[in-house]
Amino acid sequence: MQRTLSIIKPDAVRAGHLGEIIATFEKNLIRIVAMKMVHLSQREAEGFYAVHRQRPFFGELTAFMCEGPIVVMVLEGQEVIAKNRELMGATNPAQAAEGTLRKRFATSIQNNAVHGSDAPETAAFEIGYFFNALEIAG
Ligand code: CMP
């Protein structure tokens, strides 16, 4: 059994896609074992995306992540890291497969509706960034 962190980003929350995104996880038999809505500060967004600090888009990305509330979730299931990434589709919605969350809801490579951890090590860091053990109802 594996866990991953999922984020519904400010663009998708603002556009009213929470229900459809959460329903997509449930329909695909992914268990949601923790969930909350938070509004990140610039500093908190920078801490979360610290691995991208050197990227040219870091400033814009972190500002975007603070534009409004986000919904963070811990997802659980067999191979859930890969399964979630498959459901999300490519980072750039122009390259995302038909039916994926980013194809359906993203509007640009930055405003791409959802985030998902890309490996077990990043999942551990990202889950711990938002949730303590008592907040995960596994
Ligand atoms: P995410 O999966 O959350 O991981 C890093 C984020 O940086 C990514 O989704 C996008 O929101 C953003 N991103 C990645 N590449 C670019 C880019 N070339 N220009 C702007 N934003 C990007």
Side-chain angles (χ1 to χ4, degrees), residues 2 14 16-17 24 37 43-44 46 48 60 67 70-71 76-78 84-85 91 101 103 115 124 133:
Q2 211 176 42
R14 192 163 52 227
H17 298 313
T24 300
M37 181 176 274
R43 207 183 151 89
E44 289 162 345
E46 288 171 4
F48 179 75
E60 279 179 41
E67 274 178 8
I70 60 173
V71 170
E76 187 177 84
Q78 301 277 347
N84 180 41
R85 291 180 70 80
T91 304
L101 292 171
K103 185 70 172 187
H115 166 85

Side-chain angles (χ1 to χ4, degrees), residues 9 49 52 57 61 91 102 109-112 114-116:
K9 296 187 180 186
Y49 277 122
H52 294 304
F57 56 79
L61 168 63
T91 304
R102 284 168 170 161
I109 192 166
Q110 177 184 271
N111 294 21
N112 62 356
V114 283
H115 166 85

Side-chain angles (χ1 to χ4, degrees), residues 81-92:
I81 294 173
K83 200 166 170 183
N84 180 41
R85 291 180 70 80
E86 199 179 312
L87 290 174
M88 290 194 300
T91 304
N92 186 345

Side-chain angles (χ1 to χ4, degrees), residues 4-108:
T4 191
L5 185 86
S6 167
I7 302 180
I8 304 178
K9 296 187 180 186
D11 57 330
V13 174
R14 192 163 52 227
H17 298 313
L18 281 185
E20 286 177 274
I21 293 172
I22 292 166
T24 300
F25 294 139
E26 291 184 328
K27 278 183 195 146
N28 284 276
L29 306 182
I30 289 175
R31 283 196 339 121
I32 300 167
V33 294
M35 173 158 64
K36 63 184 164 191
M37 181 176 274
V38 294
H39 192 154
L40 294 179
S41 66
Q42 180 71 28
R43 207 183 151 89
E44 289 162 345
E46 288 171 4
F48 179 75
Y49 277 122
V51 292
H52 294 304
R53 207 179 308 109
Q54 307 303 332
R55 306 278 189 103
F57 56 79
F58 183 69
E60 279 179 41
L61 168 63
T62 52
F64 157 64
M65 290 300 288
C66 305
E67 274 178 8
I70 60 173
V71 170
V72 287
M73 285 170 280
V74 179
L75 308 180
E76 187 177 84
Q78 301 277 347
E79 302 297 326
V80 74
I81 294 173
K83 200 166 170 183
N84 180 41
R85 291 180 70 80
E86 199 179 312
L87 290 174
M88 290 194 300
T91 304
N92 186 345
Q95 286 154 15
E98 212 54 55
T100 59
L101 292 171
R102 284 168 170 161
K103 185 70 172 187
R104 291 163 67 196
F105 304 123
T107 53
S108 71

